[in-house]
Amino acid sequence: MGAAERQALEEEVSELRNKLIEARQSVCDTALQNETTEVEQVTLAVKARKTLKGHLNKVFSMDWAMNSRHLLSASQDGKLIVWDSYTTIKEAAIPLKSSWVMTCGYAPSGNFVACGGLDNTCTIYNLQKKDDVGACKITKELIGHDGYISNCRFLSDSQILTSSGDRSTILWDIETGRQTTVLEGHVGEINSIALQSPGSSTFISGSTDKKNKLWDIREGMCKQTFDGHEGDINTVSWMSNGHNFGSGSEDATSRLFDVRSDQQLAVYGVGEPGTTGISSVAFSKSGRILFAGSNDFSVYVWDVLRLEGICRLEGHENRVSSLGVNDDGSALCTASWDSFLKVWN
């Protein structure tokens, strides 16, 4: 392909993209803040109730179990730890082959956990089976990505979804270790994925190409693309209603999107782009509150409907790398590069 032909194609793509943006804007007849001015303000008193100490290096990721009590953390000290959030007891400490871990995930059954990172491999561990020295056995090592594993999410004990810096997302059959579906469409590294609901075949992805994409695994294709962010997207998370999702970016904003209207609904900003990038987001059970973990060591708490800041959670001494609200909505867990996790409610 010659330079002139390439330039002509790029101009055509740009023109089509602008037409799509114009069409989207033409059907946007109101703004969220215009419709929620009469909504009562939220009052919230959140405190750090527990600090989970045990890791010796940066904690990169955490994930709640479906029972809303246990949680999993992954650290670059080369350990996965399963915690009892009620008692702060470590129920399992799993040594990893590679300390360069970036993500972890808990299976819906609670029987398996997974992790991945710069080794380009997603490793599955069985919490119910131990080896001779009492360590959890490796069930399967899933090898196939050409880049780091940025996220892993179980659909069931037999299927897991992984995203990667190689710009692809792969659905795996855990028992055979084979790739079931490979999804491609981003032009940048995929930093985050989130299933619409446990076991769902629909998920959202966020990428360094500044776009969120909605995928249907059954059809093996992208169904919608959402623009708006002006920097790398680090994190995505669904609201419990399954119609709205949030994302956080290096542009120092969190944003709310609606898949039904194909629109961006709101922008929640915390500072100047590049100074307070958003590393992780999660919604309260009701969806009224948005938690945004930041590079400035804080968690920003937003009123989703009024687009107002409620409070700022402080206590970590380094970047808040990951956070999540448990399934029953009773607690928020934050993980940080300061090597600690905190449980808030």
Side-chain angles (χ1 to χ4, degrees), residues 112-182:
F112 297 90
V113 295
C115 68
L118 295 180
D119 60 355
N120 301 359
T121 302
C122 179
T123 306
I124 315 292
Y125 295 88
N126 189 332
L127 296 179
Q128 309 304 318
K129 293 184 178 181
K130 307 291 178 67
D131 60 20
D132 294 338
V133 295
C136 296
K137 287 187 175 181
I138 294 177
T139 297
K140 190 70 66 174
E141 292 180 306
L142 305 175
I143 301 172
H145 280 294
D146 294 325
Y148 63 87
I149 306 294
S150 59
N151 233 192
C152 56
R153 289 293 176 260
F154 284 92
L155 277 72
S156 65
D157 284 355
S158 60
Q159 289 184 307
I160 192 169
L161 190 68
T162 58
S163 61
S164 172
D166 66 9
R167 306 178 183 181
S168 73
T169 305
I170 297 177
L171 177 68
W172 302 83
D173 182 296
I174 295 173
E175 184 176 352
T176 64
R178 294 178 179 175
Q179 301 176 14
T180 303
T181 307
V182 179

Side-chain angles (χ1 to χ4, degrees), residues 151-333:
N151 233 192
C152 56
R153 289 293 176 260
F154 284 92
L155 277 72
S156 65
D157 284 355
S158 60
Q159 289 184 307
I160 192 169
L161 190 68
T162 58
S163 61
S164 172
D166 66 9
R167 306 178 183 181
S168 73
T169 305
I170 297 177
L171 177 68
W172 302 83
D173 182 296
I174 295 173
E175 184 176 352
T176 64
R178 294 178 179 175
Q179 301 176 14
T180 303
T181 307
V182 179
L183 300 162
E184 296 177 313
H186 280 292
V187 294
E189 300 169 3
I190 301 174
N191 285 332
S192 183
I193 54 174
L195 294 171
Q196 192 172 31
S197 60
S200 173
S201 61
T202 304
F203 71 96
I204 201 78
S205 61
S207 168
T208 59
D209 63 13
K210 308 175 187 178
K211 300 181 188 301
N212 293 305
K213 288 182 178 290
L214 179 71
W215 304 83
D216 189 319
I217 298 172
R218 296 164 299 186
E219 297 184 29
M221 63 183 297
C222 173
K223 305 297 288 185
Q224 290 172 259
T225 299
F226 298 86
D227 298 289
H229 279 294
E230 299 174 1
D232 295 356
I233 297 173
N234 295 323
T235 176
V236 291
S237 180
W238 284 96
M239 196 179 284
S240 60
N241 64 13
H243 301 307
N244 305 100
F245 71 90
S247 56
S249 166
E250 287 299 319
D251 65 11
T253 69
S254 303
R255 297 175 187 245
L256 177 68
F257 297 88
D258 184 274
V259 298
R260 296 165 299 180
S261 63
D262 196 34
Q263 300 285 342
Q264 174 181 288
L265 300 183
V267 179
Y268 311 92
V270 300
E272 294 298 322
T275 59
T276 51
I278 302 302
S279 60
S280 48
V281 295
F283 292 95
S284 63
K285 185 72 171 178
S286 67
R288 180 66 188 274
I289 298 168
L290 173 67
F291 300 97
S294 172
N295 294 343
D296 68 3
F297 313 170
S298 304
V299 176
Y300 292 85
V301 185
W302 295 94
D303 184 326
V304 170
L305 294 180
R306 294 179 61 90
L307 280 71
E308 296 174 349
I310 299 172
C311 62
R312 181 176 172 180
L313 306 183
E314 298 178 303
H316 284 294
E317 297 178 359
N318 207 324
R319 181 179 190 255
V320 177
S321 53
S322 182
L323 58 76
V325 175
N326 61 0
D327 193 58
D328 66 12
S330 62
L332 167 76
C333 180

Side-chain angles (χ1 to χ4, degrees), residues 52-100:
L52 308 182
K53 302 177 181 180
H55 284 298
L56 303 176
N57 207 331
K58 297 175 180 178
V59 182
F60 263 72
S61 180
M62 61 75 51
D63 193 31
W64 283 101
M66 291 294 292
N67 64 11
S68 295
R69 176 170 180 167
H70 294 96
L71 58 91
L72 178 70
S73 60
S75 167
Q76 290 196 347
D77 63 5
K79 293 286 195 303
L80 285 182
I81 295 180
V82 177
W83 305 84
D84 184 328
S85 67
Y86 292 2
T87 65
T88 72
I89 291 175
K90 306 178 201 59
E91 297 204 345
I94 305 171
L96 306 177
K97 288 185 176 181
S98 169
S99 62
W100 300 107

Side-chain angles (χ1 to χ4, degrees), residues 5-30:
E5 185 180 359
R6 181 183 179 86
Q7 183 177 357
L9 289 173
E10 289 177 349
E11 290 175 354
E12 183 180 356
V13 169
S14 178
E15 183 180 351
L16 290 171
R17 183 181 294 113
N18 290 334
K19 287 182 179 180
L20 287 172
I21 292 173
E22 291 174 3
R24 183 177 286 166
Q25 291 174 342
S26 69
V27 296
C28 183
D29 56 357
T30 187

